[in-house]
Amino acid sequence: MTADLMAVVLLLAVAAYACAGGTDYGAGFWDLLAGGAERGRRPRGLIDHAMAPVWEVNNVWLIFVFVIMWTGFPTLFQAVFSAMWLPLALAAGGLALRGAGFAFRKVVTRLAGRRLYGAVFAVASLVTPFFLGAAAGGIASGRVKLGTEASADAWSNPTSVMFGLLAVAATALLGAVFLAADARRFEAPDLVVYFRRRGLLSLAALVVLVVITLVITREDAPHVWHGLTHGAGLVLGVVAGAASLVTAWLLTRAPGGWVRASAVGAVACAVIAWGLAQRPYLLPTSMTVAEGAGAPTTLTWLAFVSLVAVVIVVPAVVFLYWLDTRGDLEELTETDLRQGGGPQEGDTAGTV
């Protein structure tokens, strides 16, 4: 019973990181595609101001995921990190480089340095979610088992590639939606239109990728495909689809808090649908929740610590998000947008 409870907590923590961290990755994705210095100055200025108050706290959810894995499900942790050490190491490297790029590009004075750190931040924002998604796809396809040695097939198979692309598209959607709402709050109508269009494009790409993924997983990950097309997995998938339609409708209007909620709901429901589709397995079809769980005493204490975190940490993080979305942490002026977060001349990270 305790093992099942902690498996649910683990899934919810993964969903929380997908939404919170995904929004940050999505902002970096649009930074990459913002264009040269003149064209991308205002979008990058908005991205810098929107991310600055909360970009570090989002990793709390990732740390929580790892703590639950290695403490509550050590066998799962061993299997995943043995078979997937390379994509996970690449994701970790991207996470570190992304943070360094975001921090240093705002303080260096030389143009070449700002270009370099801006490019590092933007590219790492694309690489990190892709490899995290690829690792999840390897698990979903059943290629990860206890004792599986690391190999390219474990994370470069069709399901892994599609999961990686889905992760990138989902983060792009979240980033565009949140930035469009921020642009409205900062009274920058041109950036509202800018990010609203990109949100709709991301949503369209996400829908296409979901359809392709379902086709591929039918042969490559049959257990997960069955779970996604039947029972609770299907229900959550339908809810995710409905939330996506609501998001599309709200993006055609004035984006605000509701479109953020619908986008987060769509991504969270999709992640939870994947978790429910794997039932009763942690690793389809080789490791059940009971087989991967740690000692009962450890699980009991882990449940207690998780409860303490829910009572103390989660409200504080939610309150921080609330302050940020209200604009109470930092104000943005037209002068800030004109100055931007990138170099004053030349290209930073892309030309799209």
Side-chain angles (χ1 to χ4, degrees):
M1 182 65 179
T2 307
D4 292 333
L5 173 63
M6 294 314 303
V8 171
V9 173
L10 175 61
L11 178 59
L12 294 177
V14 171
Y17 183 66
C19 295
T23 303
D24 260 5
Y25 293 133
F29 177 85
W30 295 119
D31 188 289
L32 177 65
L33 301 184
E38 187 61 34
R39 179 183 175 186
R41 182 173 296 129
R42 283 173 59 79
R44 290 194 179 102
L46 178 65
I47 289 168
D48 277 355
H49 280 79
M51 288 182 57
V54 297
W55 69 280
E56 288 182 293
V57 76
N58 290 325
N59 291 324
V60 167
W61 305 111
L62 181 60
I63 295 170
F64 193 38
V65 168
F66 286 155
V67 168
I68 294 176
M69 281 186 66
W70 76 53
T71 306
F73 303 95
T75 308
L76 170 68
F77 186 86
Q78 176 187 352
V80 170
F81 277 77
S82 294
M84 296 289 189
W85 71 266
L86 181 56
L88 292 175
L90 292 172
L95 188 65
L97 291 173
R98 180 178 179 276
F102 181 73
F104 288 133
R105 78 167 180 173
K106 300 177 69 175
V107 297
V108 296
T109 57
R110 293 186 178 181
L111 176 61
R114 300 189 74 178
R115 285 178 174 174
L116 173 63
Y117 289 122
V120 168
F121 161 70
V123 173
S125 297
L126 173 66
V127 169
T128 303
F130 176 82
F131 282 115
L132 289 174
I139 294 172
S141 66
R143 288 177 169 85
V144 179
K145 300 178 175 63
L146 186 62
T148 299
E149 296 183 357
S151 67
D153 180 64
W155 58 274
S156 61
N157 55 81
T159 300
S160 288
V161 172
M162 293 310 303
F163 270 51
L165 294 176
L166 282 172
V168 173
T171 60
L173 170 64
L174 290 170
V177 165
F178 272 71
L179 289 168
D182 280 337
R184 182 191 179 197
R185 188 178 77 241
F186 294 134
E187 298 181 353
D190 59 320
L191 292 180
V192 173
V193 175
Y194 180 92
F195 285 111
R196 184 167 58 187
R197 289 175 178 172
R198 281 152 180 78
L200 290 170
L201 288 173
S202 301
L203 185 56
L206 189 59
V207 170
V208 172
L209 289 172
V210 166
V211 173
I212 296 174
T213 300
L214 286 174
V215 173
I216 288 176
T217 54
R218 183 170 186 174
E219 298 295 332
D220 198 53
H223 180 81
V224 169
W225 178 85
H226 183 272
L228 289 172
T229 55
H230 296 80
L234 176 60
V235 172
L236 267 294
V238 171
V239 173
S244 299
L245 291 175
V246 172
T247 301
W249 178 72
L250 291 173
L251 280 173
T252 61
R253 306 171 68 85
W258 286 111
V259 70
R260 286 175 165 176
S262 63
V264 167
V267 174
C269 287
V271 173
I272 295 172
W274 161 55
L276 294 178
Q278 293 194 173
R279 293 183 306 167
Y281 296 103
L282 293 172
L283 297 176
T285 53
S286 61
M287 182 186 294
T288 64
V289 172
E291 292 170 343
T297 303
T298 301
L299 289 170
T300 300
W301 278 106
L302 183 60
F304 174 75
V305 171
S306 299
L307 178 60
V308 172
V310 168
V311 173
I312 297 177
V313 178
V314 172
V317 174
V318 172
F319 182 59
L320 177 63
Y321 290 152
W322 182 74
L323 290 175
D324 182 47
T325 55
R326 282 171 48 91
D328 292 339
L329 300 181
E330 184 175 5
E331 294 184 356
L332 182 64
T333 65
E334 183 65 25
T335 301
D336 293 325
L337 286 173
R338 289 176 180 174
Q339 292 176 347
Q344 300 301 308
E345 58 179 316
D347 291 340
T348 297
T351 58
V352 179

